[in-house]
Amino acid sequence: MTTFIVANWKMNPSTKEEAVSLLLAMEKLGKENKKVIICPPFPFMSLSKNVILGAQNCFFEKEGPFTGEVSPYMLKSLGCNYVIVGHSERRNFFQEDSSLIRKKIEVLNDAKMTTILCVGEKSREDSDVVETITRQIESVLDGVSLQNIIIAYEPVFAIGTGDSCSAEIAKERRELIKEVLFEIDKNENPAILYGGSVDSNNVSEYIDKAGFDGVLVGGASLNKDEFKKIVDSV
Ligand code: PEP
């Protein structure tokens, strides 16, 4: 079984030199059953031919008059086969909603690229968490092939805060996500990742204790030594 470690650099680093140095350090990480996918900002995506590339976002059309947008087909032509969709920062800062996210997933499926779909409740106090996560998944995946889908469970309160979700709660959410996916398509079994303040101390809890198929790492993926430790701990 493959374990995924996805590095989401977000809007970092600010120079090409720093990006090259980070990419160089990440080139040797990962093995056949341990897939390390690096998602740098768009301008840095062509700086290494020796990493598995992912993107942090894409548009929902192949090409055309969409100033400032990036098409999945452009990414594919760079050798990128994974795209993060529905990250909470995009939902929050760019008002991305289910209908937009669904369009992105559909075009990614058409392009035979893998979507890494982020879902998760905003706060620990969400009393409707089952409903929240179920709706986030069903609204964008109902009737859509799950063949090229990876889910990242990312509770918003844990993203970039150091306040990671306990392995017990994360496990419950993973089970819920599995059930919702099973209702959509019984024949596919998409990988489910955990994301939210993952570091080298807590990563094995999510894999070994909570049963996730991997992790999505934000902040800690910008620190070469820490990221290597995370990969080595999986
Ligand atoms: C993320 O950006 O998806 C993320 C999980 O960030 P962090 O690891 O910094 O919480």
Side-chain angles (χ1 to χ4, degrees):
M1 233 185 62
T2 305
T3 304
F4 295 88
I5 301 109
V6 182
N8 175 18
W9 291 5
K10 314 194 191 208
M11 201 176 73
N12 299 292
S14 49
T15 66
K16 177 182 168 184
E17 289 69 28
E18 290 168 282
V20 168
S21 160
L22 268 178
L23 284 165
L24 263 179
M26 293 181 181
E27 283 181 354
K28 293 170 205 71
L29 303 178
K31 298 194 195 103
E32 218 159 84
N33 60 349
K34 210 190 260 192
K35 217 171 228 185
V36 178
I37 301 169
I38 311 295
C39 307
F42 292 134
F44 301 147
M45 290 187 75
S46 296
L47 296 177
S48 172
K49 297 270 172 280
N50 300 314
V51 295
I52 301 177
L53 270 182
Q56 299 174 21
N57 181 33
C58 70
F59 194 56
F60 58 78
E61 293 283 356
K62 187 171 181 181
E63 57 184 23
F66 306 105
T67 303
E69 291 299 327
V70 171
S71 140
Y73 289 85
M74 293 172 186
L75 297 169
K76 195 170 182 177
S77 76
L78 293 180
C80 165
N81 281 304
Y82 297 86
V83 181
I84 298 172
V85 172
H87 192 282
S88 62
E89 286 154 15
R90 294 214 60 86
R91 293 180 196 255
N92 183 23
F93 294 119
F94 304 98
Q95 287 75 48
E96 295 204 359
D97 61 9
S98 301
S99 80
L100 183 73
I101 291 167
R102 192 180 174 91
K103 285 185 193 167
K104 292 184 181 192
I105 296 172
E106 284 171 351
V107 71
L108 284 165
N109 270 353
D110 287 347
K112 304 206 165 18
M113 297 169 72
T114 297
T115 298
I116 301 171
L117 170 67
C118 300
V119 299
E121 70 276 30
K122 284 196 178 134
S123 100
R124 288 186 194 275
E125 280 74 49
D126 184 345
S127 51
D128 277 335
V129 61
V130 173
E131 160 73 13
T132 303
I133 291 177
T134 304
R135 195 170 8 88
Q136 281 176 342
I137 297 175
E138 286 182 348
S139 61
V140 301
L141 290 181
D142 241 350
V144 169
S145 165
L146 301 186
Q147 209 179 352
N148 294 316
I149 302 291
I150 293 174
I151 304 288
Y153 166 60
E154 295 218 306
V156 181
F157 60 81
I159 297 182
T161 58
D163 183 21
S164 58
C165 181
S166 71
E168 291 74 20
I169 298 283
K171 184 168 189 266
E172 280 178 27
R173 304 291 184 258
R174 189 186 70 83
E175 281 158 10
L176 165 67
I177 291 167
K178 248 186 141 37
E179 281 168 28
V180 178
L181 293 171
F182 186 75
E183 287 308 314
I184 293 174
D185 184 350
K186 296 179 176 44
N187 299 315
E188 296 294 339
N189 188 19
I192 305 174
L193 318 184
Y194 169 80
S197 295
V198 169
D199 60 28
S200 58
N201 294 315
N202 63 23
V203 63
S204 57
E205 296 207 4
Y206 297 109
I207 311 287
D208 301 334
K209 220 164 150 184
F212 284 89
D213 304 296
V215 284
L216 202 167
V217 187
S221 71
L222 295 164
N223 178 325
K224 293 172 202 168
D225 295 335
E226 177 63 5
F227 189 63
K228 182 175 182 323
K229 275 197 210 164
I230 292 174
V231 176
D232 289 345
S233 312
V234 167

